[in-house]
Amino acid sequence: MKSIYLILSSVSLLTLASCSNSSPTDSDLNPVIADKNYPSAFQYKTSKNQVISPYRPYNVIDVKGMKPGHLSRDPSTAKKDKAGKPIPSTAKIFRIPEFKN
């Protein structure tokens, strides 16, 4: 009986919480996005899925599914381990730009 009561009270609290007017913004979910210290990439031609990295060798990077303002990494700037494989966490970070038509 206690388990049913706990389940019903949990469901009712979740229902009330989902009815609130406040919704988290991107900067609430990821505090790194609020930090503006990362350089912005450049739009590649008129594509909204590709950008030019702000780091040498200025590769074109696919950012499909990412929104302007989000952060991404340039895999070509990653350091390599002893076996020669890139270490993704060492790749330089850049910001996705606002896309123009």
Side-chain angles (χ1 to χ4, degrees), residues 1-11:
M1 186 69 162
K2 285 185 179 182
S3 62
I4 293 173
Y5 176 72
L6 288 174
I7 291 172
L8 289 175
S9 62
S10 298
V11 169

Side-chain angles (χ1 to χ4, degrees), residues 23-73:
S23 61
T25 61
D26 287 339
S27 60
D28 291 338
L29 298 175
N30 187 350
V32 176
I33 293 176
D35 186 10
K36 304 283 186 197
N37 292 330
Y38 295 104
S40 184
F42 305 96
Q43 184 175 0
Y44 180 69
K45 298 183 181 178
T46 58
S47 174
K48 293 191 178 189
N49 295 328
Q50 295 178 322
V51 297
I52 300 172
S53 172
Y55 303 108
R56 287 182 192 251
Y58 310 110
N59 289 328
V60 176
I61 299 173
D62 184 21
V63 293
K64 186 175 183 179
M66 299 184 78
K67 296 179 181 177
H70 283 187
L71 300 177
S72 184
R73 292 183 183 267

Side-chain angles (χ1 to χ4, degrees), residues 68-88:
H70 283 187
L71 300 177
S72 184
R73 292 183 183 267
D74 181 350
S76 67
T77 62
K79 295 179 182 175
K80 298 189 181 346
D81 64 6
K82 291 180 181 179
K85 293 183 178 180
I87 305 169

